[in-house]
Amino acid sequence: MNRALFLDRDGVVNELVFYPSHGEWEGPRNVRDLRMRAGAAAALREASRAGWLLFLITNQPSYAKGKCSLEDLQEVHSAVLDELKGAGVAITDSYVCYHHPESKLEGFGACECRKPSSFFLRQAARKYDIDLAQSWMAGDQDTDIVTGINAGCRTALLNYEHSREKRGTAQPDLICNDLADLVRKLD
Ligand SMILES: [Mg+2]
Ligand SMILES: [Zn+2]
């Protein structure tokens, strides 16, 4: 069986963006706002060399909340994958939840895939023959940790500066500064 590193995207692989209109740091709503996090690609190349299969698992509710178009979000996600590919990082697969439980847009409301649901991790595990107990879920928010716990994975919380208020209650196995720090500690 394979071992996986499941990665949250925003605040892990790319930077969050401050949108004054909502007064919050969020994932990029537009490809022009996309900045990759320094050192992320190098860390992921290293993890890949060590045999970890890499996956992105991300909630992208901005269209469901009426903040941007679905195409914008899809374009951002493609751009993240392109950036990683261009930097020599092999992402095995990526999974995006575009829903939000309070959305009024038909088809974009309640779902079974939004983190902290383990839906996408279990789907990946079946498709790629992954041993979840030997795998890791890493993210910058408590919900990422709960996602990993729900899937029976080990969990790592990344101390990203702009998502500080979204951490503090979950119980991760590891607390790291960033992906480089995490990859050094993986076993
Ligand atoms: Mg995040
Ligand atoms: Zn969903």
Side-chain angles (χ1 to χ4, degrees), residues 9-22:
R9 195 194 80 189
D10 298 327
V12 175
V13 172
N14 57 270
E15 301 280 354
L16 293 183
V17 181
F18 186 75
Y19 288 105
S21 55
H22 290 75

Side-chain angles (χ1 to χ4, degrees), residues 8-12 16 58 115 139-141 143-144 160 163:
D8 169 44
R9 195 194 80 189
D10 298 327
V12 175
L16 293 183
T58 180
K115 290 182 290 184
D140 64 329
Q141 296 188 17
T143 46
D144 299 308
Y160 180 61
S163 49

Side-chain angles (χ1 to χ4, degrees), residues 95-110:
Y95 297 85
V96 184
C97 168
Y98 288 108
H99 311 106
H100 190 272
E102 285 155 33
S103 181
K104 291 170 185 70
L105 294 170
E106 198 183 335
F108 288 86

Side-chain angles (χ1 to χ4, degrees), residues 4-124:
L5 179 51
F6 295 107
L7 302 153
D8 169 44
R9 195 194 80 189
D10 298 327
V12 175
V13 172
N14 57 270
E15 301 280 354
L16 293 183
V17 181
F18 186 75
Y19 288 105
S21 55
H22 290 75
E24 276 190 287
W25 289 87
E26 295 176 27
R29 294 180 203 160
N30 191 293
V31 75
R32 290 187 303 275
D33 297 333
L34 175 63
R35 303 284 179 276
M36 301 300 279
R37 286 203 62 189
L44 295 181
R45 282 197 304 269
E46 184 65 34
S48 190
R49 263 199 299 273
W52 297 93
L53 294 188
L54 307 177
F55 296 88
L56 297 183
I57 311 285
T58 180
N59 290 348
Q60 296 296 330
S62 287
Y63 168 67
K65 291 178 174 179
K67 293 175 175 176
C68 64
S69 74
L70 184 58
E71 291 70 26
D72 284 339
L73 290 183
Q74 290 168 334
E75 202 182 337
V76 169
H77 192 66
S78 297
V80 172
L81 294 174
D82 286 349
E83 288 276 351
L84 290 172
K85 194 173 179 186
V89 177
I91 297 290
T92 298
D93 211 339
S94 71
Y95 297 85
V96 184
C97 168
Y98 288 108
H99 311 106
H100 190 272
E102 285 155 33
S103 181
K104 291 170 185 70
L105 294 170
E106 198 183 335
F108 288 86
C111 69
E112 54 183 345
C113 50
R114 182 176 162 83
K115 290 182 290 184
S117 163
S118 61
F119 183 85
F120 285 143
L121 281 69
R122 293 183 188 283
Q123 192 175 323

Side-chain angles (χ1 to χ4, degrees), residues 151-172:
C153 293
R154 293 177 288 176
T155 56
L157 190 62
L158 272 50
N159 275 329
Y160 180 61
E161 56 180 329
H162 300 308
S163 49
R164 210 174 284 120
E165 307 95 77
K166 307 217 170 136
R167 295 190 290 272
T169 59
Q171 302 283 313

